[in-house]
Amino acid sequence: MTFGEQPAYLRVASDLREKIVSGSLPPHTRLPSQARIREEYGVSDTVALEARKVLMAEGLVEGRSGSGTYVRERPVPRRVARSGYGLTTGASPFRQEQAAEEARGTWESSSEQEPASAAVAERLGIEPGERVMRTRYVFRDAGEPMMLSTSWEPLAVTGRTPVMLPEEGPLGGCGVVERMAAIDVVVDNVVEEVGARPGLAEELLTLGGVPGHVVMVVERTYYASGRAVETADVVVPADRYRISYHLPVR
């Protein structure tokens, strides 16, 4: 088989990827063995091994102990809808974001005070070491982990108020805009930056991914008159979800 000028392992991986995507190698099919790849493509054992590693890193195949390497089931991506931030009495942030999808959502959360790291302090416009309330969430749709979120709120804003704990008190579970309004802090701007990176081991363990899987990360920060009052990292598995924005035209 004659190929172009790409490195040999990438050419082999590309050909196998095409077979997986086209359905020639359907889900749960065993990938050709290293010896078969070597023979079929006329490459060395090292090249065959590296090609298989590429497919594993892309999440297209998975190794099964004592059995071999198999084509993974390719999930049909679902949407994580994000449609703006406003005063929606009684609605949680998760419900606001999933409203268009009629999500069957549940979540778990835990909050703890901690000193702000340098990165968090920069995003909040405070000094490193200042106290913040960190809240971690695991969001589920129909029981399946679909999204992680970690938020930080400066205690200089929320400390000793009824909304100090985002998931407790009279406005527990409500959105940031509504919670802040309850303490006379008017949120007037929200900035989101979306990026992608390999998932951290602990993230993939919770979300059900495998090492090498890519996650999308939304860095979100709420502002009131130019002052950051909350910042968060929202983590979504890229192979199972797409982030869909619904933005009103003004």
Side-chain angles (χ1 to χ4, degrees), residues 9-29:
Y9 77 96
L10 289 181
R11 297 196 295 266
V12 173
S14 178
D15 192 64
L16 291 170
R17 184 190 304 112
E18 184 176 335
K19 291 179 179 179
I20 292 171
V21 172
S22 69
S24 298
L25 286 173
H28 311 297
T29 300

Side-chain angles (χ1 to χ4, degrees), residues 13-84:
S14 178
D15 192 64
L16 291 170
R17 184 190 304 112
E18 184 176 335
K19 291 179 179 179
I20 292 171
V21 172
S22 69
S24 298
L25 286 173
H28 311 297
T29 300
R30 186 173 180 176
L31 197 71
S33 66
Q34 191 165 310
R36 177 75 179 274
I37 292 174
R38 181 189 65 217
E39 186 177 312
E40 181 176 346
Y41 293 93
V43 296
S44 67
D45 280 332
T46 300
V47 168
L49 178 61
E50 290 302 313
R52 287 156 65 95
K53 285 182 179 179
V54 168
L55 298 177
M56 291 189 76
E58 293 176 351
L60 294 174
V61 300
E62 62 184 356
R64 299 180 186 174
S65 180
S67 179
T69 304
Y70 291 79
V71 177
R72 295 183 69 242
E73 187 81 44
R74 299 182 68 211
V76 177
R78 299 169 57 192
R79 289 191 301 165
V80 175
R82 304 177 73 76
S83 54

